[in-house]
Amino acid sequence: MDDFLSGFAGERQALLDLVHRADTAWTTFRRRQLLDVDTTPGADGVIAGELAAVRREVTARHLSVGVFGLIKRGKSTILNALVGHAVSATHATPETAVPVFVDAGHRRSATVHFADGRSLEVDLEDHPRFTSQKSQPDERLGVAYVHARVPSNLLAAGVRMIDTPGLDDADVDESYTARTLQQLEAVDAGVVVVMSPPTVGATEIRFLQELARRNGREFVVVCNMVPQHFHDPLARHQIVDYIADRLGEAGLQVRLHAVCAVEAWEARRNGDAYGWERSGAGQLLRDLEQDLTVRAGRRAVDAACDRLQEALRLAAAEVQLQRSLLASPETVATYRDDAQERIAAFGRDTQAAVDH
């Protein structure tokens, strides 16, 4: 179940290896160069800085997946199933009142971040008392978001999952709904969860239309079905067709997945590969992998490659200049004299500006 996003993880590691090789080559060149002058002003710092920046960007880059929907549609259950850990609380009453960001970690842990800038380390099992609406009426605790960490191959491959508050929850302060909408700008892909019954409503359609307007955002719609509907082929197809028609009438062309979230989470906890596929979650995760690696992951890698290519171009130009100078003592002397004259002229201009 956990062998996902291997393509993106492999490309990211290959890119990091290339950055390391370029950095090593550049450092070796700078150590061995024989000239006692700087060639291109600031070139060493610029090139080293660019290589370091690419390394930081590639290492820190997450492919983020936001899980959105109305209250009690099974968002937290689906997120738990996808990452393989009980990260978000799942109860009969609405729970998630603040965003929960889920990243890879060596052990299960969580950090609660407050609106006033404070943070508190807690056990993962304890974070619901900070995120639950039972603990957060009218933002009494002042919690802004929770950052959870769990061991997971999916997350270790570079994915961040985001569990969001219900979009239509009257018990949640409006600021939480605003924060949920803000997450649209931060995610690379979205999972919008509807449920049967009652299928899809006007609020969900408006949200999907808003999501569709945000360029570059891939998303899938998950219809979380109760087991009796999910395992009845006729009922399942009728429900999927009805939702597809509703979305089509609203101008939305999206992929729709039928999933039984409770069975997916149960299969995940028990390591039941057959039950995982039977629940529909396996195909959902494969489609997410496709969205993230082929689209969002490809964009992230391409941007890093472009920046690395520019750093290598600068390094190659610097090496060529160094080689041309080393080829002739007269060229070196001329370069030094010219450089000294430029420095002297700069000093004169600076002094003249000060005197003026």
Side-chain angles (χ1 to χ4, degrees):
M1 293 183 191
D2 283 325
D3 187 20
F4 305 118
L5 295 167
S6 55
F8 174 69
E11 288 197 19
R12 186 170 67 167
Q13 187 56 54
L15 188 55
L16 285 172
D17 291 343
L18 184 58
V19 172
H20 176 71
R21 288 166 55 195
D23 193 28
T24 300
W26 177 247
T27 301
T28 301
F29 166 73
R30 295 298 292 175
R31 286 174 180 168
R32 291 181 179 177
Q33 67 171 329
L34 303 179
L35 291 178
D36 191 25
V37 295
D38 288 331
T39 50
T40 305
D44 187 22
V46 169
I47 294 167
E50 281 295 288
L51 292 174
V54 174
R55 184 184 296 108
R56 286 194 303 271
E57 288 177 3
V58 175
T59 301
R61 181 67 164 92
H62 294 97
L63 299 178
S64 56
V65 180
V67 184
F68 304 95
L70 307 187
I71 58 172
K72 304 315 302 170
R73 295 303 191 263
K75 301 186 304 295
S76 296
T77 303
I78 285 176
L79 183 144
N80 291 343
L82 291 175
V83 303
H85 289 269
V87 176
S88 291
T90 56
H91 295 289
T93 56
E95 284 296 318
T96 306
V98 298
V100 179
F101 298 86
V102 191
D103 288 322
H106 296 299
R107 61 183 181 83
R108 291 165 53 87
S109 63
T111 305
V112 181
H113 294 267
F114 297 89
D116 62 7
R118 294 179 297 121
S119 62
L120 176 66
E121 296 294 325
V122 300
D123 291 336
L124 186 63
E125 289 71 20
D126 290 339
H127 90 70
R129 65 190 178 95
F130 296 94
T131 60
S132 171
Q133 291 176 26
K134 300 180 184 69
S135 303
Q136 278 286 98
D138 301 321
E139 299 194 66
R140 180 173 59 81
L141 296 180
V143 177
Y145 65 94
V146 169
H147 182 196
R149 294 165 294 274
V150 295
S152 166
N153 287 351
L154 170 65
L155 303 178
V159 175
R160 162 177 284 177
M161 300 294 295
I162 307 172
D163 193 10
T164 64
L167 289 164
D168 64 338
D169 195 342
D171 293 330
V172 172
D173 186 273
E174 288 185 3
S175 65
Y176 288 134
T177 300
R179 284 179 220 164
T180 295
L181 294 173
Q182 286 174 358
Q183 298 306 323
L184 289 178
E185 298 297 340
V187 300
D188 296 296
V191 175
V192 181
V193 183
V194 302
M195 191 166 187
S196 175
T199 67
V200 63
T203 301
E204 291 158 319
I205 289 175
R206 285 195 299 270
F207 179 78
L208 286 165
Q209 289 171 330
E210 179 65 22
L211 188 56
R213 280 195 290 269
R214 314 239 174 175
N215 292 332
R217 303 308 195 272
E218 308 297 336
F219 63 95
V220 297
V221 174
V222 173
C223 180
N224 178 20
M225 294 186 183
V226 296
Q228 59 265 38
H229 288 173
F230 183 79
H231 294 300
D232 180 338
L234 178 60
R236 185 172 68 246
H237 289 137
Q238 286 177 337
I239 292 167
V240 169
D241 289 344
Y242 171 77
I243 295 175
D245 289 342
R246 287 288 312 273
L247 298 178
E249 291 169 0
L252 294 162
Q253 301 298 320
V254 301
R255 284 160 303 149
L256 180 60
H257 286 266
V259 174
C260 184
V262 293
E263 292 190 0
W265 176 220
E266 182 180 3
R268 187 69 153 163
R269 285 183 297 174
N270 296 329
D272 179 4
Y274 173 76
W276 172 256
E277 289 297 331
R278 185 170 179 262
S279 73
Q283 187 59 51
L284 167 63
L285 195 48
R286 284 189 291 274
D287 271 12
L288 281 176
E289 179 188 18
Q290 179 78 1
D291 286 342
L292 292 170
T293 56
V294 174
R295 297 176 179 86
R298 182 75 268 153
R299 289 194 296 268
V301 170
D302 286 348
C305 284
D306 289 343
R307 190 161 185 176
L308 175 59
Q309 193 170 38
E310 177 61 16
L312 295 178
R313 187 192 67 77
L314 292 172
E318 182 72 3
V319 170
Q320 186 61 37
L321 180 55
Q322 291 279 358
R323 291 179 64 183
S324 67
L325 291 172
L326 287 171
S328 168
E330 294 80 7
T331 304
V332 173
T334 300
Y335 183 87
R336 285 177 174 166
D337 292 343
D338 183 55
Q340 289 171 356
E341 176 55 32
R342 290 200 304 271
I343 293 171
F346 176 75
R348 290 193 297 270
D349 292 344
T350 302
Q351 187 61 47
V354 173
D355 293 341
H356 181 71

